[in-house]
Amino acid sequence: MLETLKLTKRFNGHVAVNDLNLLIKPGEVFALLGPNGAGKTTTINLLLGFLTPDAGEARVNGASVATDPIAARRQIAYIPEQVMLYPRFTGVENLDYFSTLGGRRHTREELLALLKRAGLPAEAADRRVGTYSKGMRQKVGIALALATEAKALLLDEPTSGLDPAASHEFSLLLRKLAGQGVAVLMATHDLFRAREDATRIGILLDGKLAGDYATNDIKHVDLEKLYLKHLRA
Amino acid sequence: MIAAIARKEFLDAWRDGRFRIAAVVVLALLGVALLMAWQQVERTRSERAAAAVMERENWLNQGVKNSHSAGHFGVYVFKPLAPLAVFDRGIEPFVGTTVFLEAHRQNQAAFLPAQDATAMRRFGELTAAAGLQLLAPLVILLLTFGALAGERERGTLRQVLSLGVRPRDLVLGKALGLGAALATLLLPVALLGAAALATLPDAEGGGSWVRFAWMGGAYVLYLAAILAVCLAVSAMASTARAALAVLLVSWAANAVLAPRLAADLVQHILPTPKLVEFEAAMNQAVQEGLDGHNPRNQRLQTFAQETLKKHGKTRIEELPFNFNGLVMLESERMAGEVFDHHYGKLWDRLEAQDLTVTWAGLVAPLLGLRSASMALAGTDFTHHRHFSVAAEEHRRDFVRVLNEDMMNNTSGGHHGGVADPSLWEKLPAFRYEPPPSAHALRAATPGLVVLLLWAVVAWIALLVVAPRLKPN
């Protein structure tokens, strides 16, 4: 479960996140939409404990990010726009290293199975990741989320730059993870993916949650109109 | 967790082609330096041993002559080269290797190896010590500048920290892994050095190994301090490029600027006299007494009167021995006091200079390391002084025996009579016992303290900086 309570962050007087209240329950995929500078990445950084809030609190599965960031992070898997891996290591070596850091040891067979579940071609697992495409690196990121059995998933523009097929594959995996009870927060510009993957959609403007909608209640066309309406307001 | 990070860093370093190239270059340079130094030490030791044998033969075969003339014939004694000069030649190239022992004078060691060198030598010698002091920090620098700053730039640091890794664990793991990569690079050099040392005769009966072990400790402290400083800079720098720039400037300040600056400053603060001034002051003191108010002739006249009185005689010729021999003994004693005073003062000043430079190591650790390394290798000034004192003691014994022979077995003036050639054999050859490892350790203590302080402070600083590690 991901939770923010009146979360506020300012940078040199500018309010990046303003009194933000969010509650993302296990199995929910919450898409955070908003233009550049709306505070999406700042919200993720606050949830990761990479930034200290000026007010309010962030919690992951009950653990306060401010007072126990390590415990909070232990329950999170984070997939940024570009999953960054160690280029001189193979996919399986990267996964082994990161999952060990995440507190989970796996055998080589288990790691290979996880990469396969994440959709990475078998022949790629033992190749150095310096040769991987962005989509392949994102899959290692998903495999890591599976490997660490994270309770919450933070995604920052995860499908940006992916081709439609890779993007679709990513969506399937995401839904699978949510189906296993993982709470997902996905910051994105992609209205289509938000409508497809999310169970709820929030529109963030100037750090404030301007709207919070259940996906079932809106169509693709309506979402676009709704988003533009908020932007123009 | 720390072990996993260390393992990954170790593998990553070895998979990095730049590190492998640096490793090959450093290994080759250090290996060649060791082999060349070993050859040179071997050659020098055998040359000096052969020269000592030849010199002894010259002495024994000098023929029939007056014992005072034998005192002026003199003998050369040769400074043996410490086995650990294989690693660190210290001040050896700049101090004499040979002392001419003769009557009336305490000579300084002459024949500096640097005099025989070509102009190219001014760029410095390639020794294992120089390699470890200058190149190893460069390798550490290249290995670590991007360890944290680079990960931050690439985004992997966010990835790692998002998993709940404690920054302190991450930094410690990196330090261990990179330290291990460096150790695998330097271990063969240490083994090669040990093999070289094992082939050289150890005058101390194992003392060289004690010194070698302490030397290893000194270098470990130095490199550990450098590693911690580099990682701390990498942790704090906003970019890898900024970290590299800061570290390169620091390396140049430590390795290039500090030694020159320290040498100039210490000469300014604790100046030493010019050689010509030193000799003139000493000669004047021999003639006029240490206080300058007691001329030598007057002192010898008083001495003659006291001797006549002691033996109940009124004329020198009535004494039951050659008075000239006794005068020689007395004037040697008086000159000895002057030499002890002047050389003692000069040597104390040189040691004070060295100590000041060593403590300047609190600012630039290389100064502390150089001092400790030379002391442990037996190539610092305290060892040179030990040899010079031993040579002078031998000179005084040798001159005393000749003067006693003149006094008891000859008659007439300085050059009256002849000595029995068996006298030459009575004078033993110079045998130098180098100081024990305890002496080296005492001399190295300030340098070791400087290095220990650097290592402790650098690691504390790293552990303080680590929790503030920013992912962006």
Side-chain angles (χ1 to χ4, degrees):
Chain A
M1 188 162 70
L2 289 164
E3 198 177 0
T4 67
L5 301 164
K6 299 193 168 194
L7 197 63
T8 302
K9 180 69 190 173
R10 295 182 196 92
F11 294 109
N12 300 322
H14 166 73
V15 184
V17 174
N18 191 359
D19 221 13
L20 183 67
N21 289 303
L22 281 180
L23 180 61
I24 305 163
K25 292 176 187 160
E28 267 191 329
V29 178
F30 188 90
L32 201 54
L33 290 174
N36 288 337
K40 301 188 295 292
T41 300
T42 304
T43 303
I44 288 180
N45 280 336
L46 287 164
L47 279 162
L48 283 166
F50 290 166
L51 291 174
T52 310
D54 292 306
E57 195 181 11
R59 284 184 190 168
V60 180
N61 233 19
S64 165
V65 176
T67 54
D68 196 354
I70 302 297
R73 287 177 198 161
R74 287 266 167 203
Q75 307 186 66
I76 293 175
Y78 164 61
I79 301 181
E81 186 179 348
Q82 300 246 20
V83 172
M84 298 313 295
L85 303 167
Y86 295 101
R88 286 188 284 270
F89 284 75
T90 65
V92 74
E93 284 173 336
N94 266 288
L95 183 59
D96 184 24
Y97 178 59
F98 282 116
S99 61
T100 304
L101 296 190
R104 298 281 197 282
R105 299 301 311 255
H106 293 281
T107 63
R108 179 178 156 78
E109 287 67 35
E110 287 168 342
L111 293 168
L112 289 170
L114 286 165
L115 286 169
K116 195 177 168 190
R117 267 177 72 192
L120 192 78
E123 55 80 27
D126 284 318
R127 233 169 56 206
R128 289 196 178 181
V129 300
T131 62
Y132 279 20
S133 66
K134 184 185 170 187
M136 290 163 87
R137 288 205 303 274
Q138 300 300 92
K139 283 170 186 168
V140 176
I142 288 281
L144 178 60
L146 294 168
T148 56
E149 295 166 18
K151 300 279 184 292
L153 190 54
L154 296 177
L155 307 169
D156 195 357
E157 309 280 1
T159 54
S160 153
L162 288 186
D163 63 49
S167 194
H168 177 69
E169 263 186 82
F170 189 85
S171 294
L172 292 177
L173 287 165
L174 194 61
R175 281 181 227 166
K176 213 185 271 181
L177 278 170
Q180 289 167 9
V182 176
V184 181
L185 172 64
M186 175 168 68
T188 183
H189 284 118
D190 188 340
L191 298 185
F192 177 77
R193 283 265 75 89
R195 173 65 188 75
E196 283 293 296
D197 300 335
T199 51
R200 278 168 60 208
I201 293 173
I203 297 173
L204 197 65
L205 292 173
D206 296 327
K208 238 179 159 35
L209 198 61
D212 185 347
Y213 307 96
T215 322
N216 290 339
D217 298 343
I218 41 177
K219 295 175 184 167
H220 280 298
V221 181
D222 295 339
L223 176 60
E224 194 171 355
K225 282 182 187 162
L226 205 58
Y227 181 62
L228 291 172
K229 190 180 113 189
H230 277 294
L231 281 185
R232 286 172 192 143
Chain B
M1 171 101 59
I2 294 174
I5 296 165
R7 185 177 165 275
K8 178 252 158 196
E9 287 302 320
F10 179 82
L11 280 175
D12 207 10
W14 277 105
R15 286 180 184 181
D16 185 349
R18 291 167 300 181
F19 177 70
R20 287 203 302 271
I21 291 169
V24 169
V25 170
V26 168
L27 264 178
L29 281 174
L30 290 179
V32 167
L34 262 177
L35 282 174
M36 281 169 57
W38 176 76
Q39 263 188 335
Q40 195 175 10
V41 167
E42 268 279 294
R43 195 175 55 240
T44 307
R45 286 169 74 99
S46 56
E47 275 173 7
R48 290 184 194 175
V53 170
M54 203 167 75
E55 181 58 22
R56 181 68 183 164
E57 278 173 16
N58 277 349
W59 170 257
L60 294 176
N61 299 318
Q62 62 181 294
V64 176
K65 61 174 65 138
N66 172 272
S67 51
H68 187 70
S69 299
H72 283 290
F73 181 78
V75 287
Y76 283 96
V77 293
F78 304 93
K79 185 178 172 184
L81 205 52
L84 282 162
V86 165
F87 293 96
D88 192 342
R89 297 200 67 203
I91 62 166
E92 285 298 319
F94 310 103
V95 292
T97 57
T98 308
V99 182
F100 181 55
L101 308 183
E102 61 176 329
H104 311 312
R105 284 183 63 83
Q106 177 175 351
N107 294 312
Q108 299 205 51
F111 304 112
L112 284 63
Q115 287 174 328
D116 295 331
T118 64
M120 296 302 283
R121 186 65 69 85
R122 59 191 277 274
F123 295 115
E125 269 188 299
L126 177 65
T127 61
L132 288 170
Q133 290 167 8
L134 305 175
L135 291 179
L138 261 185
V139 174
I140 294 178
L141 190 158
L142 293 173
L143 204 59
T144 53
F145 79 93
L148 292 158
E151 286 223 26
R152 187 183 294 118
E153 277 182 299
R154 286 193 300 274
T156 41
L157 190 58
R158 278 179 75 84
Q159 206 84 50
V160 167
L161 293 178
S162 76
L163 291 162
V165 174
R166 284 184 178 80
R168 200 169 273 178
D169 290 350
L170 177 67
V171 168
L172 281 177
K174 279 185 177 283
L176 281 177
L178 296 172
L182 190 73
T184 53
L185 168 64
L186 297 180
L187 202 62
V189 179
L191 291 175
L192 192 63
L197 189 60
T199 64
L200 294 167
D202 186 356
E204 275 184 74
S208 291
W209 292 103
V210 176
R211 290 163 177 258
F212 183 61
W214 277 99
M215 226 172 160
Y219 280 93
V220 166
L221 283 176
Y222 176 66
L223 297 177
I226 300 275
L227 180 66
V229 168
C230 289
L231 280 173
V233 170
S234 184
M236 287 189 295
S238 53
T239 62
R241 187 182 285 190
L244 181 62
V246 169
L247 291 172
L248 277 176
V249 168
S250 308
W251 176 84
N254 181 48
V256 183
L257 195 63
R260 283 153 183 78
L261 199 62
D264 287 348
L265 275 177
V266 83
Q267 183 59 26
H268 182 71
I269 299 165
L270 297 166
T272 47
K274 291 190 175 108
L275 182 63
V276 65
E277 291 168 1
F278 173 75
E279 299 253 336
M282 200 160 58
N283 289 339
Q284 191 180 0
V286 167
Q287 293 306 317
E288 295 176 16
L290 280 172
D291 59 3
H293 300 293
N294 197 3
R296 183 170 177 273
N297 289 345
Q298 206 175 314
R299 275 177 289 153
L300 289 177
Q301 272 177 15
T302 310
F303 177 69
Q305 281 160 10
E306 283 170 358
T307 307
L308 289 171
K309 195 174 162 191
K310 188 176 159 192
H311 288 87
K313 307 287 182 194
T314 52
R315 291 174 59 237
I316 296 289
E317 293 75 17
E318 292 171 9
L319 288 168
F321 49 80
N322 184 343
F323 181 66
N324 280 311
L326 187 64
V327 166
M328 288 292 158
L329 282 168
E330 177 61 7
S331 63
E332 282 292 341
R333 188 195 63 75
M334 290 191 302
E337 282 178 1
V338 172
F339 299 149
D340 287 345
H341 174 79
H342 280 263
Y343 274 104
K345 218 166 107 181
L346 176 69
W347 290 342
D348 285 348
R349 175 55 64 96
L350 290 172
E351 284 190 359
Q353 283 192 342
D354 283 351
L355 192 63
T356 307
V357 170
T358 304
W359 286 117
L362 290 171
V363 180
L366 177 64
L367 300 174
L369 176 68
R370 273 177 26 165
S371 162
S373 178
M374 285 193 292
L376 292 165
T379 56
D380 69 338
F381 181 72
T382 68
H383 283 80
H384 183 69
R385 181 176 186 170
H386 187 272
F387 166 77
S388 300
V389 167
E392 174 61 9
E393 279 172 3
H394 185 76
R395 185 191 76 83
R396 291 185 191 179
D397 280 349
F398 139 82
V399 173
R400 181 181 49 76
V401 170
L402 293 175
N403 286 336
E404 280 174 356
D405 180 76
M406 181 201 279
M407 181 179 150
N408 298 320
N409 302 324
T410 65
S411 59
H414 288 174
H415 302 285
V418 288
D420 184 345
S422 67
L423 176 64
W424 316 147
E425 281 174 29
K426 279 186 198 160
L427 289 160
F430 176 65
R431 294 212 189 285
Y432 176 60
E433 287 290 328
S437 48
H439 167 99
L441 201 53
R442 254 194 319 276
T445 298
L448 291 171
V449 168
V450 165
L451 293 172
L452 188 66
L453 283 173
W454 260 98
V456 169
V457 171
W459 278 85
I460 288 174
L462 180 62
L463 293 176
V464 167
V465 164
R468 298 183 183 131
L469 194 61
K470 295 268 181 270
N472 299 310

